[in-house]
């Protein structure tokens, strides 16, 4: 991996937020914002060097704003399809997708992305 090329980390917000039954369903936007803020302050454990983090939101979480260090991308339709598009547009750079969704993991792996589960970014 080239240390000067930022790793693109694409986070499936709905899947990561939904991985812990902490009441997120009562405030999906707020849950996505809390995940965004945690990523902005803590980054992605285990990744050293330059990184670009894209948090993909969908449904009721659409419209969550980007903050320094985290680009929020609102899926116009299916969050999974949008994540696949983000990965496909990454070119040759290294990509890590954070999700537990088996079908999404398969789809992005076919494009050359690495995958990790929600526990890699959630306590």
């Amino acid at each position: 991996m080239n240390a000067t090329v930022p790793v693109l980390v694409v986070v499936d917000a709905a899947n990561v937020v939904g991985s812990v039954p902490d009441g997120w369903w009562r405030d999906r936007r707020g849950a996505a914002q809390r995940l965004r803020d945690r990523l902005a302050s803590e980054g992605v454990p285990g990744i050293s060097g330059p990184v670009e983090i894209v948090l993909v939101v969908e449904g009721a979480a659409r419209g969550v704003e980007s903050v320094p260090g985290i680009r929020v991308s609102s899926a116009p339709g299916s969050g999974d399809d949008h994540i696949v598009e983000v990965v496909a547009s990454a070119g040759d750079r290294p990509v890590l997708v954070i999700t537990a969704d088996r079908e999404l993991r398969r789809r992005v792996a076919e494009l050359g992305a690495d995958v990790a589960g929600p526990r890699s970014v959630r306590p």
Side-chain angles (χ1 to χ4, degrees), residues 57-117:
V57 296
E58 62 184 302
R62 282 188 192 106
V64 169
E65 298 290 327
S66 296
V67 296
I70 308 295
R71 178 168 54 98
V72 179
S73 183
S74 293
S78 160
D80 290 0
D81 290 346
H82 190 65
I83 290 168
V84 170
E85 290 170 8
V86 171
V87 171
S89 68
D92 291 337
R93 58 191 290 206
V95 178
L96 173 64
V97 176
I98 309 294
T99 187
D101 183 296
R102 288 183 184 172
E103 177 62 14
L104 178 58
R105 291 170 73 101
R106 181 195 64 74
R107 291 172 67 191
V108 297
E110 286 178 353
L111 296 171
D114 291 321
V115 294

Side-chain angles (χ1 to χ4, degrees), residues 11 15-17 19-21 35 38-39 42-46 97-100 105 116-123:
V11 180
N15 189 268
V16 172
V17 165
S19 69
V20 176
L35 174 59
R38 187 170 53 253
L39 290 168
E42 299 174 14
V44 178
V97 176
I98 309 294
T99 187
R105 291 170 73 101
R119 288 186 183 177
S120 62
V121 295
R122 279 207 70 143

